[in-house]
Amino acid sequence: MAQLKKQFESIDGDGDGFITQAEFTEHFPHLPAEALGALDQDADADGDGRLSFEEFVRLASGH
């Protein structure tokens, strides 16, 4: 869990506790737009356009 927290924090550029699509794009510049769209649909459980740590953990664990 500590490793996931470190990964989350490294992507969360502004440190607000959420990962936005812009932060994903900045951290993974070669990620295709389709992958970002899939992240929005599959990982963003509450539909707010950003990933919380809990959503990130679910994404990383494949649930």
Side-chain angles (χ1 to χ4, degrees):
M1 189 61 82
Q3 182 66 23
L4 282 176
K5 185 70 171 168
K6 284 182 181 183
Q7 288 176 336
F8 181 86
E9 290 170 350
S10 74
I11 300 169
D12 180 17
D14 60 7
D16 68 351
F18 296 95
I19 298 174
T20 64
Q21 191 174 68
E23 288 169 332
F24 257 115
T25 302
E26 184 176 315
H27 197 76
F28 302 104
H30 301 294
L31 199 62
E34 305 83 50
L36 287 173
L39 280 174
D40 283 344
Q41 288 181 341
D42 298 337
D44 184 15
D46 59 11
D48 66 355
R50 55 192 188 165
L51 294 182
S52 66
F53 179 65
E54 291 78 17
E55 290 167 328
F56 180 77
V57 169
R58 281 195 299 267
L59 173 68
S61 67
H63 292 82

